[in-house]
Amino acid sequence: MDHRNPELEERCINTVRVLAADAVQKAKSGHPGTPMGTAPMGHVLWSEIMQYDPQHPDWPNRDRFILSAGHACMLQYSYLYLTGYPITLNDIKKFRQLNSITAGHPEYGLIPGIEATTGPLGQGFGNGVGMAIAGKFLAARYNRPGFTLFDYRIYAICSDGDLMEGVSSESASLAGQLALGNLIYLYDDNHITIEGSTSLAFDREDVCRRFEAYGWQVQEVADVNDLSALTLAIQAAQAETRRPSLIKVRTHIGYGSPHKVDTAEAHGSPLGEEELKAVKKNLGFNPEEYFFVPREVFQFYQGAGKRGIDRQKEWADRFANYQARYPELANEYLSLSEGRWPAEWQDKLPLFSGPEKMATRKASGAVLNSLAASIPTLIGGSADLAPSTDTLLNAYGSFSASDYSGRNFHFGVREHAMGAILNGMALTRGIIPYGGSFLIFSDYMRPSIRLAAIMQLRIILVYTHDSIGLGEDGTTHQPVEQLVSLRAIPGITVIRPADANETAQAWRVALLHRGGPVLLVLSRQGLPIIDQAKYTGARELEKGAYVLSPAETECEIILIGSGSEVQLLLKAQQNLKEKSIAASVVSMPSWELFDRQDIAYRESVLPAHIKKRLAVEAASPVGWDKYITDEGAVLGINRFGQSAPGDELMKAFGFTEDHVTGLALQLLGMPEAVLDPAPALP
Ligand SMILES: Cc1ncc(C[n+]2csc(CCOP(=O)(O)OP(=O)(O)O)c2C)c(N)n1
Ligand SMILES: [Mg+2]
């Protein structure tokens, strides 16, 4: 028997259309047309498809919803409000206003029920793939016969723009490869983007065939207003467990607006007072009434919002029984999802000692492997560079379509998707995701890194091959401006350790970090292991900068650096000492960690009265001036690199102990003593 109540449901859907148009009109900005077009999608998702409980928005086995087309956020706000999440009609009236929770695009953390911050098109698509991966991993690790703890699905609404963006193609390709049957995406096929018809740039491509080729189940619904057809398609997608699903749904942007339906005008500006009235009349509402929610509509959705209560309770009971039967697993899940980790993990951090050199990427691999057993949801991989980034967990298998318990991820050569997917994984409680690539290709991931920072998601990025020191691969592979451009992202933590022991500490900091991505910037080339007995212990890395080697007498100059350059500073300090000049060496692996220390500490590392300071880092010097007085200098790199053996390049660019010593002498007014100025480069 059909459970539908067409009249009431139409009223419900039209209420959301009008609500969205009202809110955008009041805000004098926003996107009315897409919520109007896709309201029936929202209706079936929130009223009968998705398992959720507004009273327990974090319930671990809830279905996830992502509005990848974040500009349509009035759709999401309307449904969160109507189904009982903590958002009021007043909040909707304050759409897009200062300090309101109804931001111009959905923001994670502002309203429970918003599972990801979206807006940059394509990112939400990728986040969903990450969430689906996390769901499969949790299921493989924790589900037991008779105890299905995790079988949730990821639903998303995505637009033409989402599907044009490369990041969604990369993500879709991987989702197909991994047979993520828990992914159900609705494609808002409205034939409109900002510039006009999709015939301008997006109608030759057969999206359905493309997704079929990715290994997706693809269905089409000819009219979004056909709720039965839409529901049937979603049910067929649910029944498909080994392929992700795309449902292409024909919609009409600005549906209900007599003059703006099917036009780009409905996309990104208020309809206008007159047209708004016409919409209301057209949809059976009083044109003079604003933000009107008919009582029967409110009741209907409030009822829908209660559908999940029993499911949630059932899950909680199931978990309690599971805990009795599998106490270790249950406690493991609980502690990891609450960020409490097995006590002994920090004891597993290796201690490195010389005399052999060790690349910090190698040290990172050793650290990661030593920690893997004690943190079972530390999972990740690389964009086809695992052998170079040392990100493989040796004792574990690969995460694949045939084994979702694997902890090694093969993202393929898809950095952008890797970024968006890591964010989706990090949005899943309990999962600690990491991803590796060369530092240069952080540029391919920057939009996702920025979103991780906005969402305060702790993803761990292992970026190796961190400077011209990588050598022969040449300009295209040698980062110069990446460090400073990443440091410019608010809320990020970039750590460039000087040696193997600092690398171990960098991992410790990353794993303890809350809120915001942590980037470990590591060398390809071997670096001397700094003697822990002779110099300040690497544990001080947690403060971002520390006096690695104090001056023996009254300090005349501070040598500051990060990563592979710190060894040069120690040698230069020795050279200066031989000339009776007292220098101190500050290892500064992380600006951000240092900037978070109190003034007293910062003053102890960089005392204001010591004005002579030399900063050395094989990267763009931009930004170092904040640690350098006008009596100081920066040895950096202001051009692209070059193809040559790494040590020769370092020399050619002036990164030698002699040149550093010479520069220090110069700063101290002893220019005649310059030993070996760097030869000029083309
Ligand atoms: C990465 C990115 N580029 C550009 C934009 C600006 N923008 C917002 S919506 C949109 C396209 C609108 O077309 P579509 O995605 O089909 O959404 P619709 O208008 O149909 O709702 C663009 C270019 C964006 N949000 N993200
Ligand atoms: Mg469109």
Side-chain angles (χ1 to χ4, degrees):
M1 201 193 78
D2 197 355
H3 60 282
R4 306 227 83 93
N5 180 343
E7 216 169 293
L8 173 62
E9 293 187 79
E10 196 184 331
R11 186 83 174 147
C12 285
I13 291 167
N14 286 338
T15 300
V16 169
R17 288 177 166 136
V18 170
L19 203 53
D22 268 347
V24 173
Q25 190 65 39
K26 179 152 198 289
K28 299 197 186 69
S29 84
H31 304 79
T34 313
M36 294 169 84
T38 56
M41 293 182 184
H43 175 79
V44 297
L45 287 176
W46 270 283
S47 70
E48 59 180 304
I49 296 292
M50 292 197 296
Q51 302 293 335
Y52 64 95
D53 177 3
Q55 304 303 315
H56 298 87
D58 288 342
W59 160 35
N61 198 35
R62 71 193 180 280
D63 286 335
R64 271 65 165 171
F65 173 78
I66 301 175
L67 186 65
S68 194
H71 57 276
C73 56
M74 265 312 303
L75 178 83
Q76 192 168 10
Y77 297 152
S78 301
Y79 280 106
L80 292 181
Y81 157 60
L82 291 167
T83 55
Y85 283 87
I87 154 176
T88 65
L89 200 54
N90 248 340
D91 294 318
I92 288 180
K93 289 177 187 166
K94 288 190 228 147
F95 181 43
R96 297 186 151 228
Q97 303 311 305
L98 188 64
N99 296 332
S100 78
I101 58 174
T102 45
H105 291 82
E107 290 189 23
Y108 176 68
L110 286 187
I111 311 172
I114 294 177
E115 302 277 5
T117 295
T118 53
L121 290 166
Q123 291 288 334
F125 189 112
N127 296 158
V129 175
M131 290 180 189
I133 283 172
K136 291 291 189 192
F137 179 82
L138 289 175
R141 180 155 187 93
Y142 296 110
N143 286 357
R144 287 293 178 274
F147 292 96
T148 302
L149 291 187
F150 300 103
D151 60 354
Y152 59 87
R153 295 189 177 88
I154 321 299
Y155 295 91
I157 294 178
C158 40
S159 64
D160 297 304
D162 281 307
L163 298 191
M164 277 190 262
E165 289 290 353
V167 63
S168 65
S169 307
E170 292 180 19
S171 307
S173 168
L174 189 58
Q177 174 77 27
L178 294 174
L180 299 175
N182 50 348
L183 209 57
I184 300 178
Y185 282 7
L186 305 180
Y187 165 30
D188 172 27
D189 174 34
N190 64 11
H191 298 203
I192 289 291
T193 67
I194 289 179
E195 293 186 359
S197 160
T198 46
S199 66
L200 293 169
F202 194 49
D203 75 342
R204 284 288 183 98
E205 171 179 311
D206 187 332
V207 171
C208 291
R209 281 175 57 200
R210 173 158 68 97
F211 274 76
E212 272 163 16
Y214 287 143
W216 287 51
Q217 180 207 53
V218 177
Q219 303 175 75
E220 293 189 53
V221 173
D223 177 7
V224 73
N225 294 306
D226 183 346
L227 302 185
S228 299
L230 188 55
T231 311
L232 274 177
I234 297 175
Q235 285 164 347
Q238 291 174 331
E240 168 60 68
T241 58
R242 291 295 288 169
R243 284 183 298 168
S245 292
L246 184 78
I247 307 175
K248 173 171 150 173
V249 188
R250 181 67 168 110
T251 71
H252 296 272
I253 193 167
Y255 185 94
S257 164
H259 304 103
K260 298 201 169 168
V261 64
D262 285 330
T263 70
E265 260 183 280
H267 165 85
S269 27
L271 298 176
E273 284 295 348
E274 281 316 300
E275 188 65 10
L276 184 56
K277 287 191 164 81
V279 168
K280 289 179 185 172
K281 231 170 131 189
N282 191 21
L283 298 179
F285 286 72
N286 177 352
E288 303 307 328
E289 218 162 353
Y290 291 83
F291 298 99
F292 176 62
V293 179
R295 180 178 301 177
E296 69 276 15
V297 170
F298 192 70
Q299 280 171 350
F300 175 86
Y301 283 130
Q302 290 282 300
K306 296 194 170 68
R307 285 181 309 117
I309 293 179
D310 291 344
R311 286 290 287 254
Q312 188 281 129
K313 279 199 190 122
E314 245 173 65
W315 191 89
D317 290 346
R318 196 178 321 150
F319 191 82
N321 293 333
Y322 177 87
Q323 200 162 15
R325 179 87 182 270
Y326 303 102
E328 278 184 20
L329 275 178
N331 291 335
E332 174 192 298
Y333 171 71
L334 282 180
S335 55
L336 287 166
S337 62
E338 286 160 16
R340 289 184 287 111
W341 295 358
E344 79 286 359
W345 75 273
Q346 293 199 37
D347 307 335
K348 301 273 163 64
L349 281 172
L351 206 74
F352 299 95
S353 56
E356 261 96 76
K357 289 183 171 185
M358 188 179 216
T360 50
R361 62 173 170 148
K362 284 267 173 279
S364 168
V367 174
L368 186 55
N369 275 288
S370 66
L371 294 177
S374 29
I375 310 175
T377 54
L378 177 63
I379 58 178
S382 163
D384 198 42
L385 286 172
S388 305
T389 54
D390 279 291
T391 42
L392 197 73
L393 302 177
N394 299 319
Y396 301 89
S398 294
F399 184 93
S400 71
S402 54
D403 182 5
Y404 291 132
S405 71
R407 291 175 60 180
N408 287 300
F409 283 73
H410 304 280
F411 292 102
V413 192
R414 302 183 185 97
E415 292 85 3
H416 204 169
M418 177 168 77
I421 288 170
L422 290 171
N423 287 353
M425 291 163 74
L427 283 162
T428 309
R429 280 239 203 125
I431 302 288
I432 302 126
Y434 67 87
S437 185
F438 292 159
L439 178 59
I440 197 74
F441 302 131
S442 63
D443 284 347
Y444 274 48
M445 300 176 61
R446 193 173 171 85
S448 311
I449 297 174
R450 185 170 192 272
L451 279 162
I454 290 175
M455 290 188 265
Q456 298 183 23
L457 295 181
R458 191 272 312 279
I459 57 174
I460 301 172
L461 297 169
V462 179
Y463 284 133
T464 65
H465 298 57
D466 69 344
S467 75
I468 55 164
L470 68 87
E472 293 86 343
D473 277 339
T475 50
T476 57
H477 283 51
Q478 292 162 350
V480 175
E481 74 284 16
Q482 281 62 36
L483 267 176
V484 66
S485 76
L486 289 163
R487 286 168 176 157
I489 299 176
I492 204 169
T493 303
V494 179
I495 310 178
R496 185 170 183 254
D499 78 338
N501 288 308
E502 276 200 7
T503 304
Q505 293 304 317
W507 266 104
R508 190 176 67 85
V509 168
L511 289 165
L512 289 172
H513 189 73
R514 296 280 173 275
V518 180
L519 278 60
L520 308 180
V521 175
L522 307 171
S523 74
R524 168 180 185 266
Q525 72 273 29
L527 303 178
I529 296 172
I530 297 169
D531 187 341
Q532 292 290 289
K534 186 169 169 199
Y535 297 103
T536 310
R539 204 183 157 97
E540 295 298 298
L541 169 135
E542 67 187 12
K543 297 183 184 137
Y546 61 100
V547 182
L548 173 64
S549 178
E552 282 176 10
T553 53
E554 186 71 28
C555 177
E556 293 166 71
I557 182 166
I558 308 175
L559 309 175
I560 315 166
S562 83
S564 46
E565 287 67 74
V566 172
Q567 50 166 320
L568 300 179
L569 306 186
L570 290 173
K571 288 182 184 151
Q573 181 188 39
Q574 200 54 38
N575 294 340
L576 292 168
K577 189 180 157 197
E578 281 159 20
K579 294 182 179 296
S580 304
I581 294 166
S584 74
V585 172
V586 169
S587 175
M588 187 180 268
S590 174
W591 291 6
E592 301 80 20
L593 292 175
F594 183 63
D595 292 350
R596 285 172 210 150
Q597 304 305 312
D598 61 28
I599 289 186
Y601 179 76
R602 282 182 280 143
E603 169 68 17
S604 75
V605 177
L606 298 176
H609 69 276
I610 306 178
K611 306 240 185 287
K612 309 283 184 196
R613 299 175 187 181
L614 175 63
V616 181
E617 188 172 63
S620 164
V622 173
W624 273 103
D625 50 349
K626 69 172 166 171
Y627 303 113
I628 299 298
T629 69
D630 46 14
E631 290 177 45
V634 186
L635 172 60
I637 299 177
N638 262 321
R639 43 157 288 183
F640 292 123
Q642 209 170 315
S643 174
D647 47 356
E648 285 179 34
L649 271 183
M650 280 294 199
K651 219 166 139 189
F653 278 78
F655 294 93
T656 64
E657 63 172 283
D658 287 350
H659 187 227
V660 170
T661 309
L663 287 175
L665 290 170
Q666 223 167 38
L667 280 182
L668 292 164
M670 305 159 78
E672 71 280 6
V674 167
L675 302 174
D676 174 24
L681 279 157

Short mmCIF file of all heavy atoms in Angstrom, two decimals, residues 31 33-34 69 71-72 105 119-122 158-165 187-188 190-195 198 253 264 267-268, ligand 1:
data_model
loop_
_atom_site.label_atom_id
_atom_site.label_comp_id
_atom_site.label_asym_id
_atom_site.label_seq_id
_atom_site.Cartn_x
_atom_site.Cartn_y
_atom_site.Cartn_z
N HIS A 31 21.11 31.87 -2.18
CA HIS A 31 20.80 31.04 -3.34
C HIS A 31 19.44 30.38 -3.18
O HIS A 31 19.33 29.31 -2.60
CB HIS A 31 21.88 29.97 -3.50
CG HIS A 31 23.26 30.53 -3.60
ND1 HIS A 31 23.98 30.98 -2.51
CD2 HIS A 31 24.06 30.74 -4.68
CE1 HIS A 31 25.16 31.43 -2.91
NE2 HIS A 31 25.25 31.30 -4.22
N GLY A 33 17.23 29.36 -5.66
CA GLY A 33 16.72 28.47 -6.70
C GLY A 33 16.99 27.00 -6.47
O GLY A 33 16.13 26.16 -6.76
N THR A 34 18.14 26.69 -5.92
CA THR A 34 18.51 25.29 -5.78
C THR A 34 17.73 24.59 -4.66
O THR A 34 17.24 23.48 -4.86
CB THR A 34 20.04 25.17 -5.62
OG1 THR A 34 20.64 25.99 -6.64
CG2 THR A 34 20.51 23.75 -5.80
N ALA A 69 26.62 20.61 -2.76
CA ALA A 69 26.28 21.92 -3.34
C ALA A 69 25.91 22.85 -2.19
O ALA A 69 24.75 23.18 -1.96
CB ALA A 69 25.12 21.77 -4.31
N HIS A 71 25.95 25.84 -1.56
CA HIS A 71 25.21 27.11 -1.74
C HIS A 71 23.72 26.91 -1.51
O HIS A 71 22.99 27.86 -1.25
CB HIS A 71 25.48 27.70 -3.13
CG HIS A 71 25.13 26.79 -4.28
ND1 HIS A 71 26.00 25.82 -4.75
CD2 HIS A 71 24.02 26.69 -5.04
CE1 HIS A 71 25.43 25.18 -5.76
NE2 HIS A 71 24.23 25.69 -5.96
N ALA A 72 23.26 25.65 -1.61
CA ALA A 72 21.83 25.38 -1.40
C ALA A 72 21.50 25.19 0.09
O ALA A 72 20.52 24.54 0.45
CB ALA A 72 21.42 24.14 -2.19
N HIS A 105 27.17 29.27 3.75
CA HIS A 105 27.31 27.88 3.31
C HIS A 105 27.36 27.04 4.59
O HIS A 105 27.74 27.55 5.63
CB HIS A 105 28.57 27.68 2.47
CG HIS A 105 28.51 28.36 1.12
ND1 HIS A 105 28.77 29.69 0.95
CD2 HIS A 105 28.20 27.88 -0.11
CE1 HIS A 105 28.61 30.01 -0.33
NE2 HIS A 105 28.27 28.93 -1.00
N GLY A 119 30.94 24.13 0.25
CA GLY A 119 30.90 25.41 -0.45
C GLY A 119 31.82 25.37 -1.65
O GLY A 119 31.38 25.60 -2.78
N PRO A 120 33.10 25.05 -1.41
CA PRO A 120 33.97 24.81 -2.56
C PRO A 120 33.49 23.53 -3.26
O PRO A 120 33.56 22.44 -2.69
CB PRO A 120 35.35 24.63 -1.93
CG PRO A 120 35.24 25.23 -0.55
CD PRO A 120 33.83 24.98 -0.14
N LEU A 121 32.99 23.67 -4.45
CA LEU A 121 32.32 22.55 -5.12
C LEU A 121 33.24 21.35 -5.28
O LEU A 121 34.43 21.48 -5.53
CB LEU A 121 31.77 23.01 -6.46
CG LEU A 121 30.59 24.00 -6.34
CD1 LEU A 121 30.31 24.69 -7.67
CD2 LEU A 121 29.34 23.29 -5.83
N GLY A 122 32.65 20.20 -5.12
CA GLY A 122 33.39 18.95 -5.29
C GLY A 122 33.95 18.40 -3.99
O GLY A 122 34.15 17.20 -3.83
N CYS A 158 24.51 16.56 -4.89
CA CYS A 158 25.57 17.28 -5.59
C CYS A 158 25.03 17.89 -6.88
O CYS A 158 24.05 17.41 -7.46
CB CYS A 158 26.77 16.38 -5.85
SG CYS A 158 26.36 14.72 -6.32
N SER A 159 25.70 18.93 -7.31
CA SER A 159 25.20 19.74 -8.42
C SER A 159 26.07 19.57 -9.66
O SER A 159 27.08 18.86 -9.64
CB SER A 159 25.21 21.21 -7.99
OG SER A 159 26.56 21.62 -7.75
N ASP A 160 25.69 20.25 -10.72
CA ASP A 160 26.52 20.24 -11.94
C ASP A 160 27.95 20.63 -11.60
O ASP A 160 28.91 20.00 -12.05
CB ASP A 160 25.96 21.24 -12.96
CG ASP A 160 24.55 20.88 -13.41
OD1 ASP A 160 24.36 19.74 -13.89
OD2 ASP A 160 23.64 21.72 -13.27
N GLY A 161 28.06 21.71 -10.81
CA GLY A 161 29.40 22.19 -10.46
C GLY A 161 30.19 21.12 -9.72
O GLY A 161 31.38 20.91 -9.99
N ASP A 162 29.55 20.43 -8.79
CA ASP A 162 30.23 19.35 -8.07
C ASP A 162 30.79 18.32 -9.03
O ASP A 162 31.90 17.82 -8.85
CB ASP A 162 29.25 18.64 -7.12
CG ASP A 162 29.02 19.42 -5.84
OD1 ASP A 162 30.01 19.76 -5.18
OD2 ASP A 162 27.85 19.67 -5.51
N LEU A 163 29.99 18.00 -10.03
CA LEU A 163 30.40 16.91 -10.92
C LEU A 163 31.35 17.39 -12.01
O LEU A 163 31.98 16.58 -12.69
CB LEU A 163 29.17 16.25 -11.54
CG LEU A 163 28.23 15.60 -10.51
CD1 LEU A 163 27.18 14.74 -11.22
CD2 LEU A 163 29.00 14.75 -9.50
N MET A 164 31.47 18.70 -12.18
CA MET A 164 32.46 19.21 -13.13
C MET A 164 33.84 19.28 -12.49
O MET A 164 34.85 19.20 -13.18
CB MET A 164 32.05 20.60 -13.62
CG MET A 164 31.05 20.59 -14.75
SD MET A 164 30.83 22.24 -15.45
CE MET A 164 29.36 22.76 -14.61
N GLU A 165 33.88 19.49 -11.18
CA GLU A 165 35.16 19.65 -10.50
C GLU A 165 35.96 18.35 -10.53
O GLU A 165 35.41 17.27 -10.30
CB GLU A 165 34.95 20.06 -9.04
CG GLU A 165 34.44 21.48 -8.86
CD GLU A 165 35.48 22.55 -9.20
OE1 GLU A 165 36.64 22.21 -9.46
OE2 GLU A 165 35.09 23.74 -9.19
N TYR A 187 22.12 13.52 -7.78
CA TYR A 187 22.66 14.56 -8.66
C TYR A 187 21.53 15.48 -9.08
O TYR A 187 20.57 15.07 -9.72
CB TYR A 187 23.35 13.89 -9.86
CG TYR A 187 23.64 14.79 -11.04
CD1 TYR A 187 23.90 16.16 -10.89
CD2 TYR A 187 23.71 14.25 -12.33
CE1 TYR A 187 24.17 16.96 -12.00
CE2 TYR A 187 23.99 15.03 -13.43
CZ TYR A 187 24.21 16.40 -13.26
OH TYR A 187 24.47 17.19 -14.35
N ASP A 188 21.67 16.73 -8.70
CA ASP A 188 20.69 17.76 -9.01
C ASP A 188 20.89 18.22 -10.46
O ASP A 188 21.61 19.18 -10.74
CB ASP A 188 20.89 18.93 -8.03
CG ASP A 188 20.04 20.14 -8.39
OD1 ASP A 188 18.98 19.95 -9.02
OD2 ASP A 188 20.44 21.27 -8.03
N ASN A 190 19.88 20.11 -13.05
CA ASN A 190 18.95 21.21 -13.36
C ASN A 190 19.32 21.99 -14.62
O ASN A 190 18.66 22.98 -14.95
CB ASN A 190 18.78 22.14 -12.15
CG ASN A 190 20.08 22.85 -11.78
OD1 ASN A 190 21.06 22.81 -12.53
ND2 ASN A 190 20.09 23.47 -10.62
N HIS A 191 20.38 21.55 -15.28
CA HIS A 191 20.79 22.15 -16.56
C HIS A 191 21.22 23.61 -16.42
O HIS A 191 21.31 24.32 -17.42
CB HIS A 191 19.67 22.06 -17.61
CG HIS A 191 19.29 20.66 -17.96
ND1 HIS A 191 18.68 20.33 -19.17
CD2 HIS A 191 19.44 19.48 -17.31
CE1 HIS A 191 18.45 19.02 -19.21
NE2 HIS A 191 18.91 18.49 -18.09
N ILE A 192 21.46 24.04 -15.20
CA ILE A 192 21.80 25.46 -15.00
C ILE A 192 23.03 25.58 -14.11
O ILE A 192 23.17 24.86 -13.11
CB ILE A 192 20.62 26.21 -14.33
CG1 ILE A 192 19.45 26.38 -15.30
CG2 ILE A 192 21.05 27.58 -13.78
CD1 ILE A 192 19.70 27.34 -16.46
N THR A 193 23.92 26.47 -14.50
CA THR A 193 24.99 26.90 -13.58
C THR A 193 24.99 28.43 -13.59
O THR A 193 24.09 29.04 -14.17
CB THR A 193 26.38 26.36 -14.01
OG1 THR A 193 26.75 26.97 -15.24
CG2 THR A 193 26.37 24.85 -14.17
N ILE A 194 25.98 29.04 -12.98
CA ILE A 194 25.93 30.49 -12.80
C ILE A 194 25.87 31.25 -14.14
O ILE A 194 25.12 32.21 -14.29
CB ILE A 194 27.15 30.97 -11.99
CG1 ILE A 194 27.00 30.54 -10.53
CG2 ILE A 194 27.30 32.49 -12.07
CD1 ILE A 194 28.14 30.92 -9.63
N GLU A 195 26.65 30.80 -15.09
CA GLU A 195 26.70 31.56 -16.34
C GLU A 195 25.51 31.29 -17.25
O GLU A 195 25.35 31.96 -18.28
CB GLU A 195 28.01 31.26 -17.07
CG GLU A 195 29.21 31.81 -16.32
CD GLU A 195 30.53 31.66 -17.08
OE1 GLU A 195 30.52 31.10 -18.20
OE2 GLU A 195 31.56 32.09 -16.54
N THR A 198 23.71 24.66 -18.96
CA THR A 198 24.86 23.74 -18.99
C THR A 198 25.30 23.46 -20.43
O THR A 198 26.34 22.86 -20.65
CB THR A 198 24.53 22.40 -18.30
OG1 THR A 198 23.25 21.95 -18.76
CG2 THR A 198 24.51 22.53 -16.79
N ILE A 253 15.67 24.49 -11.35
CA ILE A 253 16.12 25.52 -10.42
C ILE A 253 15.03 26.59 -10.33
O ILE A 253 14.41 26.96 -11.33
CB ILE A 253 17.49 26.10 -10.87
CG1 ILE A 253 18.12 26.93 -9.75
CG2 ILE A 253 17.37 26.91 -12.16
CD1 ILE A 253 19.60 27.26 -10.00
N ALA A 264 19.39 31.00 -14.73
CA ALA A 264 20.54 31.19 -13.85
C ALA A 264 20.26 32.30 -12.84
O ALA A 264 20.89 32.35 -11.78
CB ALA A 264 21.77 31.54 -14.67
N HIS A 267 19.76 31.26 -9.39
CA HIS A 267 20.86 30.61 -8.67
C HIS A 267 21.34 31.39 -7.45
O HIS A 267 21.30 30.87 -6.35
CB HIS A 267 22.05 30.36 -9.61
CG HIS A 267 23.32 30.03 -8.89
ND1 HIS A 267 23.63 28.75 -8.48
CD2 HIS A 267 24.34 30.82 -8.44
CE1 HIS A 267 24.79 28.77 -7.84
NE2 HIS A 267 25.23 30.02 -7.79
N GLY A 268 21.77 32.62 -7.67
CA GLY A 268 22.56 33.26 -6.62
C GLY A 268 22.09 34.62 -6.16
O GLY A 268 22.89 35.37 -5.58
C1 LIG B 1 35.38 25.30 -6.42
C2 LIG B 1 34.29 26.29 -6.64
N1 LIG B 1 34.33 27.05 -7.74
C3 LIG B 1 33.38 27.98 -7.94
C4 LIG B 1 32.38 28.16 -7.05
C5 LIG B 1 31.33 29.26 -7.25
N2 LIG B 1 30.07 28.63 -7.62
C6 LIG B 1 29.09 28.44 -6.73
S1 LIG B 1 27.82 27.57 -7.36
C7 LIG B 1 28.56 27.46 -8.85
C8 LIG B 1 27.97 26.72 -9.98
C9 LIG B 1 26.51 26.66 -9.98
O1 LIG B 1 26.07 25.61 -10.78
P1 LIG B 1 25.62 24.26 -10.13
O2 LIG B 1 26.73 23.65 -9.44
O3 LIG B 1 24.96 23.49 -11.19
O4 LIG B 1 24.58 24.71 -9.04
P2 LIG B 1 23.11 25.24 -9.30
O5 LIG B 1 23.19 26.63 -9.79
O6 LIG B 1 22.48 24.34 -10.29
O7 LIG B 1 22.52 25.16 -7.97
C10 LIG B 1 29.78 28.10 -8.84
C11 LIG B 1 30.67 28.21 -10.02
C12 LIG B 1 32.37 27.34 -5.91
N3 LIG B 1 31.45 27.43 -4.97
N4 LIG B 1 33.32 26.40 -5.75
#
